[in-house]
Amino acid sequence: MILSLHRSFYYNFGSSWLEAGRIQYRMPPALSFVLIGFFIWIAENTATFFGAWEYPNQADAWSLVHLEKVSSWLLLVIARFLIVARLKQVKGKTPCHVSIYENRPNVSI
């Protein structure tokens, strides 16, 4: 099953296309997952700084959330991406379509 998910992920999401205006950019999914995990970690630090919640090591004084938490957020993002991709396949919706303009795939959400 894991091999099947890996193969499905590789063939369907080998690269992501982003569109800003009329310009399309390509980004490897691994980089986008790392960036999403990093920005969630920054948001978590901001929330703990303003007192939304605190971890046990922050009881006496505020400190950064451990950098190891980025890997937890990264794993969460990958798992959510795979779940949504699989649900789209089950429901019969294709996650990507080919644009006639320059024959580059556009991600449809």
Side-chain angles (χ1 to χ4, degrees), residues 2-109:
I2 293 174
L3 182 60
S4 175
L5 286 174
H6 180 297
R7 187 180 69 221
S8 173
F9 178 77
Y10 180 77
Y11 287 116
N12 292 325
F13 307 105
S15 63
S16 300
W17 294 91
L18 308 167
E19 187 171 332
R22 292 182 179 236
I23 302 171
Q24 293 183 343
Y25 301 97
R26 195 184 95 154
M27 179 184 294
L31 177 61
S32 64
F33 295 153
V34 169
L35 288 174
I36 291 169
F38 178 71
F39 286 119
I40 291 174
W41 178 75
I42 289 175
E44 185 178 23
N45 278 302
T46 304
T48 58
F49 179 76
F50 287 112
W53 67 84
E54 68 179 26
Y55 291 106
N57 66 330
Q58 297 172 332
D60 296 331
W62 181 82
S63 62
L64 284 175
V65 175
H66 293 287
L67 192 58
E68 292 87 21
K69 288 275 295 217
V70 172
S71 64
S72 301
W73 291 118
L74 175 68
L75 182 61
L76 177 70
V77 170
I78 292 171
R80 297 263 325 224
F81 194 84
L82 289 174
I83 289 169
V84 170
R86 183 67 180 155
L87 285 174
K88 282 188 172 189
Q89 286 179 347
V90 168
K91 291 185 176 186
K93 296 179 181 178
T94 57
C96 296
H97 67 277
V98 177
S99 172
I100 297 172
Y101 183 72
E102 296 184 7
N103 291 328
R104 291 186 179 174
N106 292 320
V107 175
S108 59
I109 299 174

